[in-house]
Amino acid sequence: MGRGRAPCCDKTKVRTGPWSPAEDLRLMNFIGKHGHSNWRALPKQAGLLRCGKSCRLRWINYLRPDVKRGNFTPDEENTIIQLHNSIGNKWSKIASCLPGRTDNEIKNVWNTHLKKRANKKTDDRDDSITAAAKLPPLSKGSPSSSCTKQPEAAGGDDEDDDLWHMLDSLDPLQLQPTKDGGGGSDQLVQEVEIGKWLRILENELGLAAHQPESATDLGIYNSTYLPNLDSFTL
DNA sequence: AATTGAGACAACCGCCTACTT
DNA sequence: GAAGTAGGCGGTTGTCTCAAT
């Protein structure tokens, strides 16, 4: 097919670059309340100066409650390598076999270090054994069929614009989880960082007192992701 | 302490496909 | 069936961090 490509949005009227905490929270709140049936209309309805595609990407790759952060386990890495050997750069297919991982994240991990590792293995491997031959056969059905869709997050109240502006002024780089970092407890560290970040947002929005409701509704305070939140002070 | 290069990752771009009109 | 629209996907880029020098 391939029609003439229509611009997805007016680039002069949308924000680009890193997302601020306020934008994140606004997007989460909106999707929690209304879902995301129409990405193109979503930014306007949510009061975001973002392209619909950008919102979708942000939600899928970062804000979705079921997104797993932190380092890939050896098992996950092996799965990626095996699947890549079998189906190539089908990142969304590979992601569908790794619950909580996004295609973008897998693509990044592959391009940064798994590719090198895979190449090295291939070099070392006996010629008579191909990578594909070692793989269990993939089912013909869509890999995504084995994946569970997370329920949409819900809840949250509209906030005063002043608060959003105030949050917009926060430096996202200071609030984002530490990158990479190294060390065996990276995942825990990142979870903790996310928890701190959310606590900042709550405090700024005056939601802290209502955390039980907002936490449940947003689905992002799942203890899996935010352990021992109460032990942190800001 | 300052510089620099590589690694890591979030975000953007552009194409393709599916769905709707 | 053709044209238009929206979502999804993969490739690429920009920028930040950190280790090495």
Side-chain angles (χ1 to χ4, degrees), chain A residues 68-88:
Chain A
K68 198 194 292 181
R69 310 298 304 174
N71 286 355
F72 280 64
T73 65
D75 277 352
E76 286 175 320
E77 292 181 346
N78 287 334
T79 300
I80 293 169
I81 292 170
Q82 289 187 352
L83 286 171
H84 188 271
N85 280 336
S86 177
I87 63 178

Side-chain angles (χ1 to χ4, degrees), chain A residues 9-16 43 48-51:
Chain A
C9 54
D10 185 346
K11 304 295 182 193
T12 65
K13 293 176 181 171
V14 297
R15 264 171 59 96
T16 59
L48 287 163
L49 293 176
R50 289 279 180 175
C51 166

Side-chain angles (χ1 to χ4, degrees), chain A residues 16 18 27 59 72 80 90 98 103 118 144-145 149 166 191 193-194 202 233:
Chain A
T16 59
L27 180 58
W59 173 254
F72 280 64
I80 293 169
K90 302 296 181 187
L98 292 168
D103 54 353
S144 63
S145 61
K149 285 277 185 183
M166 180 176 65
E191 287 164 356
E193 292 295 333
I194 293 168
E202 282 182 340
T233 54

Side-chain angles (χ1 to χ4, degrees), chain A residues 93-114:
Chain A
K93 295 282 191 297
I94 295 172
S96 69
C97 296
L98 292 168
R101 300 298 188 180
T102 69
D103 54 353
N104 205 39
E105 194 177 14
I106 290 169
K107 180 170 57 182
N108 282 333
V109 167
W110 173 264
N111 285 332
T112 50
H113 56 272
L114 293 185

Side-chain angles (χ1 to χ4, degrees), chain A residues 122 125-134:
Chain A
T122 300
R125 185 169 296 144
D126 184 3
D127 290 343
S128 64
I129 304 172
T130 65
K134 300 179 88 175

